[in-house]
Amino acid sequence: MESGPAIITGTAFVLFGGALLTWTGTRLYRGEPVADGVSRIASATLASLAAVAALAAGAWCLLRL
């Protein structure tokens, strides 16, 4: 009974983390700012850490099945 919500939550985290990591990488590759008004290094680092944390949370949810 608890595997359904874990699958949905894990999938949502993995999709969000993957999309955020892809978006951040694309912005850096094109030389565009990741966030307006913030240091490029700081915003890229924070976005990458959030993406990796979301991917880790998704993996944890999916591996707990």
Side-chain angles (χ1 to χ4, degrees):
M1 296 289 278
E2 294 178 357
S3 64
I7 291 171
I8 293 169
T9 304
T11 302
F13 274 124
V14 167
L15 286 174
F16 174 74
L20 183 60
L21 198 57
T22 302
W23 180 80
T24 303
T26 302
R27 299 290 286 188
L28 289 174
Y29 178 74
R30 292 181 179 176
E32 299 172 351
V34 177
D36 288 332
V38 182
S39 167
R40 192 170 164 196
I41 295 172
S43 61
T45 302
L46 185 60
S48 298
L49 288 175
V52 169
L55 287 170
W60 181 79
C61 287
L62 293 173
L63 291 175
R64 301 277 300 171
L65 297 175

